[in-house]
Amino acid sequence: MRRTASPISLVILGLGTFLLVLAPLLAWYVKPRAAVNPIDIDTTAVYTGRGSVFDTEKIETVPDQRITVTQRVRGDVADSERSGNAVWDVVTSVDTDKSLPAADPHDALDLNVHRWVLDRKTTEPVHCCEEKPYIQGEAYLKFPFGVQKRSYRWWDNTLGDTVVLRYRGTEKVQGYSGYRFTGSVPPTKTGTRLVPGSIVGQPDRPQVLAEEWYANHGVELVVDRATGRVIYAQTGPRRTLRAPGGKKDAAVLLDAEKIAFTTETQKEAVRQAKRDSGQLRLVGVTAPIGAAVAGFVLAVAGGVLVARGRKGDGTPETSGTPDVPQPTLTK
């Protein structure tokens, strides 16, 4: 009797073929769609350090003050869904112990509110949705997915321009390895401010349109390679005032050589980086490899079973009825 392939062997063959097709789809189709910037982000980063700040009550710069920078990023889901981009609202406050805890962010030493709109896949700035200011560069708050070992143009909101951050190797933060980037900002005029003339060395003038200058002793970032998330950040801002046309700083508003992520902020950033990079690795590497291996094994096994089931057993076909001798007619 001729054999036919069993249902089980066909199922095994079909499942193996399905997994072989699924493997490249996970790597080339699903992963790129999983690596997108969120629209419902709600995160807070806290930096601390010591430095000099201008005391508006004493009308002088006070040294060796504890400085706390709080940066909260929240996504505008409605605007994000309408535009197809990630619309993030950023509130950054600078405080000393004198203004903390602050019931109102406007009580801070300095407060900056702005909106960043970014492409959800590439992280490049998008200019829409009442974006303010006009942000440029390749990265701000986070790097693109799949960070490379090269220099990046990082947006410095205080400078109002990009800063080149150069790749400096790898570094561990809370036991988690990331790419390290560094850069600095030379003294640069960023605007003007109306102040009493006495602040900039011109006591005979009641009001002066002083020049605002900004520099940065050093920016250092450690970034998760897969997600582009910043797991450690350090900055050294210096903000000063000069008399109109002046060549030297006349008043120091803020000067700190190092303000960095707190330990709690580092731990939370590392936790999120591990979670997100793990999900991307699962979809883009682990699952495709597993599907490919399992699919190959099942396809081979199913093919063998199907071939064996269809192979004849070497006996002739019969009707299933025994031969009965016929009588011979003789005369």
Side-chain angles (χ1 to χ4, degrees):
M1 179 179 293
R2 184 179 299 279
R3 299 177 186 175
T4 59
S6 69
I8 294 179
S9 62
L10 293 174
V11 169
I12 293 175
L13 178 60
L15 180 58
T17 303
F18 170 75
L19 290 175
L20 287 174
V21 174
L22 178 64
L25 285 178
L26 288 172
W28 301 333
Y29 184 82
V30 177
K31 182 185 177 182
R33 284 157 179 77
V36 293
N37 292 302
I39 62 175
D40 59 348
I41 187 173
D42 188 348
T43 183
T44 300
V46 180
Y47 304 66
T48 57
R50 303 195 72 85
S52 301
V53 298
F54 190 83
D55 191 315
T56 55
E57 294 181 358
K58 297 181 179 180
I59 317 297
E60 65 179 15
T61 301
V62 181
D64 196 29
Q65 299 294 298
R66 189 163 75 108
I67 300 170
T68 301
V69 177
T70 305
Q71 185 178 69
R72 184 170 187 182
V73 183
R74 300 186 68 179
D76 187 322
V77 176
D79 278 1
S80 297
E81 290 178 341
R82 278 194 293 268
S83 67
N85 303 299
V87 182
W88 294 357
D89 292 317
V90 187
V91 179
T92 305
S93 60
V94 181
D95 291 278
T96 61
D97 289 344
K98 187 177 180 180
S99 60
L100 284 177
D104 185 342
H106 293 84
D107 296 334
L109 179 69
D110 186 62
L111 179 69
N112 184 278
V113 180
H114 60 283
R115 168 169 283 199
W116 182 34
V117 184
L118 58 151
D119 186 284
R120 297 193 66 193
K121 294 181 180 179
T122 66
T123 313
E124 293 180 355
V126 178
H127 308 297
C128 74
C129 314
E130 300 181 3
E131 168 212 22
K132 184 180 180 181
Y134 189 92
I135 294 175
Q136 303 177 69
E138 299 172 281
Y140 173 54
L141 301 182
K142 75 176 295 291
F143 279 58
F145 293 94
V147 182
Q148 301 174 16
K149 299 178 180 180
R150 64 172 178 85
S151 297
Y152 282 85
R153 291 180 296 112
W154 173 267
W155 174 260
D156 186 319
N157 202 56
T158 304
L159 178 65
D161 203 349
T162 58
V163 179
V164 176
L165 298 184
R166 292 178 170 80
Y167 173 74
R168 302 296 186 185
T170 60
E171 185 168 316
K172 287 190 175 181
V173 176
Q174 302 296 324
Y176 187 75
S177 182
Y179 287 174
R180 178 173 174 262
F181 297 86
T182 65
S184 61
V185 180
T188 306
K189 181 181 175 181
T190 57
T192 58
R193 178 185 299 193
L194 192 64
V195 300
S198 58
I199 292 180
V200 291
Q202 297 184 357
D204 56 327
R205 301 178 62 182
Q207 297 288 327
V208 174
L209 195 62
E211 298 177 357
E212 291 185 303
W213 284 71
Y214 166 73
N216 201 302
H217 299 289
V219 178
E220 178 180 341
L221 303 175
V222 181
V223 184
D224 177 44
R225 186 198 65 79
T227 65
R229 180 182 293 276
V230 176
I231 59 177
Y232 176 82
Q234 174 183 313
T235 183
R238 176 177 171 85
R239 297 172 57 193
T240 60
L241 294 177
R242 295 184 184 183
K247 301 299 182 182
K248 295 182 180 180
D249 297 331
V252 175
L253 302 178
L254 173 67
D255 189 16
E257 291 193 2
K258 178 182 177 181
I259 302 177
F261 271 5
T262 63
T263 300
E264 292 74 17
T265 296
Q266 294 176 38
K267 289 181 178 179
E268 177 61 16
V270 167
R271 184 191 69 80
Q272 294 183 19
K274 285 182 177 179
R275 179 199 64 195
D276 295 345
S277 62
Q279 292 174 350
L280 291 178
R281 189 182 307 110
L282 174 64
V283 174
V285 179
T286 307
I289 292 177
V293 172
F296 177 77
V297 172
L298 291 174
V300 171
V304 170
L305 291 175
V306 169
R308 287 180 177 177
R310 290 179 175 176
K311 184 179 179 182
D313 61 0
T315 59
E317 293 189 41
T318 63
S319 64
T321 303
D323 293 333
V324 178
Q326 298 298 319
T328 301
L329 299 178
T330 59
K331 291 183 180 180

